[in-house]
Amino acid sequence: MYIKNVLLASAFALSTIAAPIPDCPDEDNNPVNPTPAVTAAQLTAIAPETASCSGAPFPEECADATQAATALSAAFETYQITTPGEQAAIIAYELFESANFKYNKNHFPGRPGQGTRMMAMPPFVELYATAVAGADAVTQAKAAGGDAGLNAVLALVNGDDEKSFGSAAWFVSTQCSADVRAGLVAGTEEGWHAFLTECVQTTADPTRDPAWVAASGVIKAAN
């Protein structure tokens, strides 16, 4: 009986030693590096004009820094834009295109269907609207035909701040090459200009640079 008890005790000890180490907590539930939120204070530090919509030419289109910060943070989470370099570029891009978040439609010269905070051209607006509102909604909007149809498609993605501000994050995550995104992550002026010329397919206009320099400094300082 004594021998039997010893054997049982030894077996229990061995099984205890061999017990598997508990798994680490689920990373999805406990993210090590959650997407950092953009704050209204950061946006006003980058572009003081975003503090208020006072005097906006089209008040119904204007979003102040508080609205923009909430919408941009949601977009960065949705499209997993987690690096300071990419976040800064998107903020700078939208600030320039929307005149400090004062517009979400093209008014000069007034091109039908062009808009969101990145002033996307109608073909990209349609792609984006299809992604966030669905193909059926886009087909129904286009049924109006002509300029009315283009504007109806734009309305699908301008109906709330999250969609309107989310356009550039969607664009970067779906339309830009890996090399362009790597340049944005690096946070270099060369990477910023490559984004403009190779992905946006516009010129590297020096007037775009101040917003990028300011956004890069503020966003990187916060991370």
Side-chain angles (χ1 to χ4, degrees), residues 61 103-107 110-130 132-134 137-144 146-165 167:
E61 294 183 32
Y103 302 95
N104 63 12
K105 299 175 186 174
N106 178 286
H107 291 279
R111 184 177 291 109
Q114 182 182 0
T116 74
R117 299 299 170 180
M118 65 171 271
M119 290 299 153
M121 297 294 283
F124 286 110
V125 171
E126 182 173 335
L127 283 175
Y128 180 47
T130 301
V132 300
V138 170
T139 298
Q140 185 175 351
K142 289 175 65 178
D147 292 350
L150 293 174
N151 289 329
V153 174
L154 176 60
L156 294 174
V157 291
N158 258 350
D160 62 68
D161 285 339
E162 186 172 336
K163 289 186 176 69
S164 189
F165 278 93
S167 59

Side-chain angles (χ1 to χ4, degrees), residues 79 127-128 131 167-177 181 199:
Y79 297 104
L127 283 175
Y128 180 47
S167 59
W170 166 84
F171 183 80
V172 167
S173 66
T174 64
Q175 305 299 310
C176 294
S177 69
R181 293 193 68 176
C199 192

Side-chain angles (χ1 to χ4, degrees), residues 28-146:
D28 290 335
N29 295 327
N30 299 278
V32 176
N33 296 305
T35 304
V38 178
T39 67
Q42 289 171 334
L43 293 179
T44 54
I46 295 165
E49 298 88 344
T50 64
S52 170
C53 282
S54 178
F58 299 91
E60 71 280 4
E61 294 183 32
C62 182
D64 64 20
T66 299
Q67 293 170 270
T70 300
L72 283 166
S73 295
F76 291 158
E77 183 68 30
T78 297
Y79 297 104
Q80 289 298 288
I81 305 294
T82 59
T83 68
E86 287 186 302
Q87 290 179 352
I90 286 170
I91 291 168
Y93 180 37
E94 292 197 335
L95 279 169
F96 183 88
E97 294 292 344
S98 66
N100 298 314
F101 307 147
K102 297 296 189 288
Y103 302 95
N104 63 12
K105 299 175 186 174
N106 178 286
H107 291 279
F108 314 102
R111 184 177 291 109
Q114 182 182 0
T116 74
R117 299 299 170 180
M118 65 171 271
M119 290 299 153
M121 297 294 283
F124 286 110
V125 171
E126 182 173 335
L127 283 175
Y128 180 47
T130 301
V132 300
D136 289 345
V138 170
T139 298
Q140 185 175 351
K142 289 175 65 178

